[in-house]
Amino acid sequence: MTAAWLLLLLVGAYAAGLAYLRWHWLRPQARGGAPEGALPASPFISLLVVVRNEAANLPLLFDGLRRQDLSPEAFELHLVDDASTDPTYALAEAFAAEAPFAMQLHRLGPHL
């Protein structure tokens, strides 16, 4: 008889815990999103661009990135050079020096 009461107590406690979690999940604040000020006004964007021998096209990419309207603090660029044999990496380095946002350069493969 004692084991049955103990089992009933454990099942009741488990059901009460699930009911609490369900209430917490469905309360009005959870449905409406996070409290005011808890999230940034806009998302932070990390752009990953992998290039190989794209020296002719990089100026177009960089021009487009300069003209985007996100604040510089909400944006970063990771440019990965995949063993280019043209001046791709040199162009990327020159742009990184003047980029209005955070920019990281990465090199893969042999460097000529």
Side-chain angles (χ1 to χ4, degrees):
M1 184 73 150
T2 307
W5 282 106
L6 182 60
L7 181 62
L8 185 61
L9 179 66
L10 287 175
V11 168
Y14 182 75
L18 286 178
Y20 171 76
L21 291 174
R22 183 175 188 273
W23 169 81
H24 189 67
W25 180 268
L26 296 176
R27 69 178 196 225
Q29 184 179 1
R31 278 191 308 243
E36 187 67 31
L39 295 174
S42 63
F44 185 79
I45 297 174
S46 294
L47 179 63
L48 174 66
V49 178
V50 181
V51 294
R52 183 162 196 234
N53 295 334
E54 293 291 338
N57 296 318
L58 280 182
L60 298 171
L61 171 69
F62 296 150
D63 183 53
L65 291 173
R66 263 191 218 102
R67 289 185 291 132
Q68 57 85 27
D69 59 359
L70 288 173
S71 75
E73 296 80 28
F75 182 81
E76 72 177 354
L77 171 66
H78 289 267
L79 192 126
V80 181
D81 179 24
D82 188 11
S84 292
T85 57
D86 68 355
T88 295
Y89 194 79
L91 287 172
E93 281 182 319
F95 179 74
E98 66 176 45
F101 46 81
M103 182 173 169
Q104 300 292 320
L105 296 176
H106 310 275
R107 281 185 126 167
L108 302 176
H111 311 300
L112 299 175

